[in-house]
Amino acid sequence: MKKLFYIIITCTILAACSPYQKAMKSEEISEKFQVGEEMFNKGKYAKANKLFKQIVPNYRGKPQAEKLMFLYSMTFYEMKEYYLAGYQFDRFVTAYPNSEKIEEAAFLSAKSSYTLSPVYSKAQVETKEALSKLQEFINVYPNSQYMPEANAMVKELDFKLERKAYEIAKQYNKIAGYTGDYEASIKAFDNFIFDFPGSSLREDALFYKLDSAYKLAMNSIASKKETRLENAKAYYNSFKKAYAASEHIKEADKMIIDINNELETFNTKS
């Protein structure tokens, strides 16, 4: 027991005398900077952050401030504190427009915003902010080494917005099953198709637009039914022309049979 006690005491004393602890207690800002950089290089970002935080105000306007502020920003990024990382990188870009690190700082600011983007089912405020930052970076640094990664992130975020809009439109289709408001569903899919003309979800969007138009027509009052059947038929023809091999085509073909049968009753009457 005595041996263990002495080991604990020795470790405590050594820890208290470590360069980091000495630097934390020191009044020398140069010592804090030096040890902070050592901590950073060893991957001890939280310790480096604490030391840098103590001396940031003291280095404003000094030659080493640029290096300090970049490392300080990086500590937040490495600690996955992305809100603070983005904020600090933005400050760095503004404060040091001629820095050789400005491109990297601008990219990491945008990437921090990208990392904060939530899953598609949630509100997409952060996603739009990240897209704005990434697009700004792409515009300013079109030949950047980070361009492939930036483009990949833009593509991912764009699809997230597409998926969000698509799921909203599909929800209208589902709700219409209870409310009968298939016109709102059709409009939602029209908006989606207009906003995202090249979307990989376009096939599904066109099908569910047809589905909404079909159900609207089949459940319409007599005075509106023929026109709505004709509209549904037009949607079917557009869908079939664009996606004849779709996984939805069998279901769509069943719809057109019902549509044509209903239209035939109007032709018989006339």
Side-chain angles (χ1 to χ4, degrees), residues 32-167:
K32 292 179 186 291
F33 196 159
Q34 179 186 342
V35 176
E37 188 174 0
E38 289 173 2
M39 294 293 104
F40 182 90
N41 292 333
K42 291 178 181 179
K44 298 179 179 180
Y45 303 112
K47 288 184 176 181
N49 179 275
K50 288 179 181 178
L51 286 167
F52 292 153
K53 187 176 183 179
Q54 288 185 349
I55 60 175
V56 162
N58 303 94
Y59 273 89
R60 289 196 181 110
K62 294 184 178 181
Q64 285 185 296
E66 179 184 327
K67 181 179 181 180
L68 172 63
M69 292 310 298
F70 184 79
L71 291 176
Y72 186 50
S73 302
M74 284 296 299
T75 59
F76 286 112
Y77 183 81
E78 296 293 352
M79 291 190 299
K80 303 187 188 320
E81 296 280 354
Y82 294 117
Y83 277 112
L84 291 171
Y87 172 73
Q88 292 297 339
F89 281 127
D90 284 343
R91 289 185 67 194
F92 181 88
V93 168
T94 301
Y96 306 102
N98 298 317
S99 172
E100 63 179 21
K101 290 288 189 179
I102 190 171
E103 180 181 324
E104 184 178 0
F107 174 72
L108 290 176
S109 172
K111 189 173 181 179
S112 295
S113 292
Y114 157 83
T115 306
L116 293 168
S117 172
V119 295
Y120 76 88
S121 57
K122 294 185 177 181
Q124 294 299 303
V125 175
E126 290 87 354
T127 301
K128 292 175 182 177
E129 289 176 354
L131 275 169
S132 178
K133 276 193 169 185
L134 283 164
Q135 193 56 60
E136 182 180 356
F137 175 81
I138 290 169
N139 293 341
V140 175
Y141 303 102
N143 300 314
S144 172
Q145 63 177 316
Y146 304 112
M147 192 58 66
E149 190 175 356
N151 284 328
M153 288 189 285
V154 166
K155 186 176 180 180
E156 181 183 337
L157 295 178
D158 274 339
F159 181 74
K160 196 176 287 188
L161 293 181
E162 288 178 24
R163 183 70 186 275
K164 176 73 172 181
Y166 170 77
E167 292 297 339

Side-chain angles (χ1 to χ4, degrees), residues 223-238:
S223 61
K224 295 182 178 182
K225 192 166 190 176
E226 185 176 12
T227 299
R228 288 174 173 176
L229 286 167
E230 292 289 357
N231 288 339
K233 185 173 182 177
Y235 295 154
Y236 168 83
N237 289 335
S238 296

